[in-house]
Amino acid sequence: MMKFPLTLDHLLDRGGRLFPDSEIVSRLPDKSVHRERYSDFHRRACALGSSLRRLGLKRGERVATLMWNHYAHLEAYFGVPCAGGVLHTLNLRLHPDDIAYIAQHAGDRFLIIDDVLLPLLEKFRDRAGFEKVIVVPLTGAPVPRGCDDYEKLVATARPLRIPPLREEDPAGMCYTSGTTGRPKGVVYSHRALVLHSFAAALPDVMGLANADSVCPVVPMFHVNAWGIPFAAVMVGAKLVFPGPHLDAVSLLDLYRSEGVTLTAGVPTIWMGILQALEAEPGRWQLTHGMRMVVGGAAVPESMIRAFDRFGLRVLHGWGMTETTPVGTVNYLKRDVTTAGEDERYALRAKQGVPLPFFEVRAMTERGPAPWDGNSMGELQVRGPWVAAAYHGLDAEQDKWTEDGWFRTGDVVTIDARGYVKITDRIKDLVKSGGEWISSVDLENALVGHPKVSEAAVIAVPHAKWGERPLAIVVLKAGNAATADELREYLAPRFPNFWLPDDVAFVSEIPRSSTGKMMKAVLREQFKDCKSRNQ
Ligand code: AMP
């Protein structure tokens, strides 16, 4: 066979040539809608690449973005790597000090930024070392002096001469969201992004097709919006970008007006969507069977059931910054289609089956755990889109085993059918009297209670048992509940020693910039909370 490189310029060219009329719809900060066709996108992405080279971008150099999800970000997704550069998506929700650290650590040379985010840049620009700042004039306001105008660069560019790209060349970069410790950088090769696109598009993964209308709500700065922009362009799907308006009503309006068939985001987004649908069940006429890819944190079974009632299908997936990110996705294999309803829902709440070329094992001190659905171990993974190192951090090499697997830090069981179930992060497990208790299982059960909106379970010290679980609960507006009422609700579902000794009711659970519960903050907040059974 020919040796043909797996590089992103092929996807860009294919998109422009084969699907010139596919649409890219973006909602802008003023809520107006911007539309362009793939033929425009192709031309403009090449023009951006050409301008970056004229400004001096060299092979392998990093171009940062600080942008919402919209057409110009998509142009950068392809324009930067096709010019030989590395697209480094900065997380605009981080503290300015962290963004400055990350931009400096990555050695970002240029920055492309939405004009509406310029006030954020002012808070850290002096510490970041960008040589050039290119402003996307989304609001039409004049571009400040000392910055380049994105639209002018694109309009005046010469044709792009794509440099010879190798598939192992770096194309993208993202830092871990790091609920503890400093964020760590992961560099994605062209090859990893292309292979990940093929896998993501498979029918039993996201099932992306040309006829789809795809709306990534997951930010384009959160692990390449889970690879969806690359895979969608590969198949020529319509793309619908929400811009900065991520409230439930704005999203539901967009789904309806653009006929969205596939969307993706973290569970917190869907909690809001569900509440809006339940409050006004007849208001939005959505595409029946719209797929919702949900990941980044565990999806409670009650959420999957609730969306089913609205004819919307949750696709539960698992991934990490270090895995590009998708590693497992849940679908019902043909051998489970005859299972009873409860068994099917319990299965669908698991994190799913590994993608092709994505290998998993649950590692214990005695070796890999059997795939029996009970034996827990650390999830270790390997495959062509799993990172082999962190950018510029030799000290972290112990995250990889000697036999070449990546240690995820997640504790899992794997059942005989190959379904992976996350029981916890290693550091979040509760160890009571020598036995492990899964905080994720308790949380998922608690949010199934009709009065509970959100729940976190953490370990608190206990004189006799070492640790005991404490539940921290946010109730739905206008509801009251007692700790005993919630314990009674959990009692038939778990062994007695799993039941939280106490429940703290709070108004909010702290979440990270990518929607994860910040348990380290909760542990600090509740560190003096004694179990009521001691
Ligand atoms: P990040 O690198 O920020 O995407 O975070 C990756 C981590 O998020 C994983 O190691 C898991 O702990 C968690 N995670 C991602 N998807 C899921 C999921 N579907 N269920 C439970 N935890 C998840």
Side-chain angles (χ1 to χ4, degrees), residues 236-264:
K238 172 176 172 179
L239 271 158
V240 180
F241 290 115
H245 302 287
L246 303 178
D247 62 285
V249 169
S250 300
L251 289 175
L252 286 163
D253 286 347
L254 195 64
Y255 293 161
R256 184 189 48 190
S257 63
E258 301 303 330
V260 168
T261 56
L262 182 134
T263 177

Side-chain angles (χ1 to χ4, degrees), residues 177 222 295-298 316-321 351 410 422 425 516:
S177 50
H222 186 200
H316 187 188
W318 171 94
M320 302 182 80
T321 307
Q351 279 67 14
D410 286 334
I422 307 263
R425 293 291 293 164
K516 295 188 203 314

